[in-house]
Amino acid sequence: MDHDIELKLLAGLSVDLGNQLSFSVPTLRTIANIGSRKYDALISVLLVNKASLEELAASRVTNFELFALNCMLNEAFWSKAKQGLELFFGMEPTLRESPDGALIYFLDDPDMRLDDGSFDYFQSLIMYSHNIQFQREQFSPGNAKAKALIEKLQKGKQEILSRKEQIFDLASKISGVAWKSSGVSIFNVFDLTIFQFYDALNRLEQVDYYLFTLQGIYSGHVDGQKINLSNIHWSKKYKP
């Protein structure tokens, strides 16, 4: 991600998306008011990705075309998409059908629209600001029996994940940052944007790793000659 954009997100400023659209990251207070489960559902709709669908991964269909098509054909999907778009752009979106496909624009101005380019940029900003990494699992079964086994395992995995509570949910992460950080407290942590929050969380983890490494060196359990401390200092750029 561009350094200037990272700086804007860290400062809680909006990012220009083109087509007169500006992307803004919600605060933790806003997310808490929405509810973390509902918020996650909105994010998942906005991050629809053809790479997650094997039959579309190699096609020429764009993520925006897939998103727009779902908006047109699925009322429940559009309802969530509409809420999510309004949350990040601060304006109510309009959905219209056209000869070239669906149009999604704002303030009744077709020039203020989402398209392939702006939508891809929009998705990348959501993923970056929310510390999300998207990876599609790849399988190459050797035969039909192996393929059936993999599909069965995948189905079981999804069933477990759908029922299992997250060990570190958003609330516990927020509480951890609030009570551990010297500059953030439970009284102001909800004023942070989601990007600022994850940056604080990652920096605290880097500080811990750095201090634990120092303790290991001082105690003789870690060979200090094999470690460049400047490479693990918490002021270094975070790489997930």
Side-chain angles (χ1 to χ4, degrees):
M1 187 60 66
D2 182 90
H3 294 305
D4 288 338
I5 293 173
E6 182 179 0
L7 189 59
K8 283 188 174 183
L9 291 173
L10 193 59
L13 301 175
S14 61
V15 177
D16 181 22
L17 221 68
N19 296 343
Q20 305 175 55
L21 298 176
S22 295
F23 170 90
S24 297
V25 182
T27 63
L28 295 178
R29 192 181 308 281
T30 298
I31 295 173
N33 189 49
I34 294 172
S36 61
R37 289 182 182 275
K38 182 177 179 180
Y39 183 77
D40 287 345
L42 299 182
I43 293 297
S44 66
V45 164
L46 296 176
L47 291 182
V48 61
N49 193 307
K50 72 169 189 175
S52 64
L53 303 172
E54 187 174 350
E55 60 273 19
L56 291 179
S59 74
R60 294 185 178 180
V61 174
T62 66
N63 286 334
F64 177 67
E65 288 172 341
L66 180 61
F67 175 75
L69 183 62
N70 275 282
C71 289
M72 289 296 299
L73 300 180
N74 189 321
E75 187 174 340
F77 185 95
W78 168 239
S79 177
K80 292 179 181 178
K82 185 177 180 180
Q83 293 177 62
L85 293 173
E86 185 170 3
L87 177 64
F88 287 103
F89 291 111
M91 301 176 288
E92 184 176 352
T94 299
L95 177 66
R96 290 286 184 271
E97 190 172 2
S98 75
D100 297 325
L103 288 176
I104 299 177
Y105 53 91
F106 299 84
L107 298 181
D108 291 326
D109 184 353
D111 289 334
M112 299 180 66
R113 70 188 183 281
L114 284 174
D115 52 29
D116 288 334
S118 60
F119 187 72
D120 285 346
Y121 190 22
F122 171 57
Q123 287 190 319
S124 70
L125 287 172
I126 291 179
M127 293 176 67
Y128 185 72
S129 62
H130 290 68
N131 203 37
I132 298 171
Q133 289 85 44
F134 177 81
Q135 290 182 332
R136 187 168 69 96
E137 293 178 288
Q138 299 278 350
F139 297 105
S140 298
N143 52 48
K145 186 175 181 179
K147 181 178 180 181
L149 177 59
I150 287 174
E151 289 176 348
K152 183 176 181 180
L153 290 173
Q154 280 294 97
K155 184 177 180 181
K157 175 184 174 182
Q158 293 303 318
E159 181 70 16
I160 292 172
L161 291 176
S162 66
R163 297 188 181 190
K164 182 180 178 181
E165 290 289 339
Q166 292 292 325
I167 297 175
F168 299 110
D169 60 12
L170 183 59
S172 65
K173 290 177 181 177
I174 291 173
S175 179
V177 168
W179 295 113
K180 184 174 182 179
S181 174
S182 59
V184 178
S185 73
I186 199 65
F187 302 106
N188 61 19
V189 67
F190 287 96
D191 294 327
L192 297 176
T193 68
I194 191 70
F195 176 80
Q196 292 167 334
F197 166 71
Y198 274 113
D199 182 76
L201 185 65
N202 292 327
R203 293 297 173 184
L204 288 175
E205 291 177 352
Q206 285 181 284
V207 170
D208 281 346
Y209 180 68
Y210 183 82
L211 294 180
F212 289 154
T213 301
L214 281 183
Q215 291 175 3
I217 293 174
Y218 295 152
S219 65
H221 292 92
V222 175
D223 187 353
Q225 293 183 343
K226 296 182 178 180
I227 296 178
N228 186 342
L229 290 178
S230 64
N231 288 337
I232 64 171
H233 195 270
W234 59 81
S235 63
K236 295 283 288 185
K237 184 175 178 62
Y238 174 74
K239 295 182 179 180

